[in-house]
Amino acid sequence: SFLKMISFASFKNGLLRPIVPAHISPSLRLLSTNRKYAYFNDVEFKANGVALVRINCPGKVNTVSNEMRSEAEKLWRDEIEGNKDVIAVVFSSAKPDNFIAGADINMIKTTKNKADLKSICM
């Protein structure tokens, strides 16, 4: 079963974080975490009006995909747009060694009309 595939690792703060194999779909990954999003950590709102958006795609690196783009749009609509307390947004990576590696290679391969890639990744 899905839950049998999850293992846990501890971090400095003593909390346990599930480690879910990369082949598990993003929607199932959410079942194993307390995050709202599959491709982003929950937005952190600072008292000074700054919203911190940390990209945290499934897998070892952050990649731009249709799913990530759609979720970014939803995050923006739900958390940032219209939020009068937010005066600035900072995007960063939750991964310690990369920001965004580029477009998802599988998405590129499966996109029939390659001209569509520009609109997907911009």
Side-chain angles (χ1 to χ4, degrees), residues 22-87:
H23 69 278
I24 301 298
S25 74
S27 57
L28 285 178
R29 288 173 156 279
L30 281 178
L31 296 174
S32 67
T33 67
N34 292 328
R35 290 175 23 189
K36 294 180 190 177
Y37 306 100
Y39 295 87
F40 299 89
N41 286 0
D42 292 346
V43 179
E44 185 178 340
F45 297 97
K46 298 294 189 177
N48 62 358
V50 175
L52 301 176
V53 178
R54 290 188 177 88
I55 304 165
N56 194 1
C57 296
K60 292 172 79 172
V61 297
N62 295 322
T63 57
V64 177
S65 66
N66 287 324
E67 296 83 8
M68 187 258 218
R69 184 182 60 98
S70 295
E71 192 172 86
E73 290 172 357
K74 179 179 178 3
L75 178 149
W76 190 267
R77 276 191 316 272
D78 294 352
E79 310 258 359
I80 307 298
E81 189 176 63
N83 186 335
K84 294 180 183 1
D85 295 328
V86 175
I87 60 171

Side-chain angles (χ1 to χ4, degrees), residues 92-109:
S92 66
S93 175
K95 306 215 184 282
D97 57 352
N98 71 78
F99 181 64
I100 295 177
D104 182 324
I105 299 300
N106 292 322
M107 177 192 67
I108 293 171
K109 288 179 187 176

Side-chain angles (χ1 to χ4, degrees), residues 66 104-120:
N66 287 324
D104 182 324
I105 299 300
N106 292 322
M107 177 192 67
I108 293 171
K109 288 179 187 176
T110 60
T111 302
K112 290 183 170 101
N113 183 355
K114 300 303 183 204
D116 292 341
L117 292 172
K118 183 176 180 181
S119 66
I120 291 169

